[in-house]
Every structure is written in structure tokens, then in C-alpha cells.
Amino acid sequence: MPQIIPIKELKNTSEISELCHKTEGPIFITKNGYGDMAIMSMEIYENMIRQLVMYQDLELSAGQAEERQVRDARKSLAEMRAKYGI
């Protein structure tokens, strides 16, 4: 379940920081009852960006496969593992 807090609680920076590190996703900040921002720990942010880049690479690879621009799978997997630390 997502964490949602009002913007006035951002004054408690150490508590917000602790909550960001305990939560495995973004914390949604509301202003006047409406969604305004999302915050998260650097670790969660970096993991999300890494996943996004990986999905973009997979989409590119799928397009290349459709166009018959293929190469050795073992070499490609080894490069992906090295790139994403898998």
C-alpha cells in the first residue's frame, strides 16, 4: 500500500528520511488534498532507473530481433549482466 503524507509533514526531515529508507517505493506528498510530489530514497530511485534502462534496452533488442539484426545470445547476456550487475 502506498505511503501518502501531507506536505506540512515535510518539516520533519529526519522522520521523512527514515520513512523513505523503510519504504520500498515512493512516498506520495499531497497538497490541499491532491497529489503534488513523490519522494524516495536514493537506493530505490537508482534501482528504478536501472530497471527503466533495462526495459528500454529490452525493447530496443526486441525491435532489432524483428528487423533480423541479431547477434550471439551468450555474448549479449554476458554484456547485460555486466552492465546491470545481475
Side-chain angles (χ1 to χ4, degrees), residues 49-69:
I49 294 300
R50 196 172 321 149
Q51 282 183 330
L52 177 63
V53 170
M54 183 177 66
Y55 290 139
Q56 289 172 334
D57 286 350
L58 288 171
E59 186 176 350
L60 175 65
S61 296
Q64 290 171 337
E66 287 177 9
E67 295 175 8
R68 303 263 187 226
Q69 297 175 350

Side-chain angles (χ1 to χ4, degrees), residues 3 6-7 18 46 57-58 86:
Q3 291 280 340
I7 198 165
E18 188 176 317
E46 289 169 352
D57 286 350
L58 288 171
I86 301 173

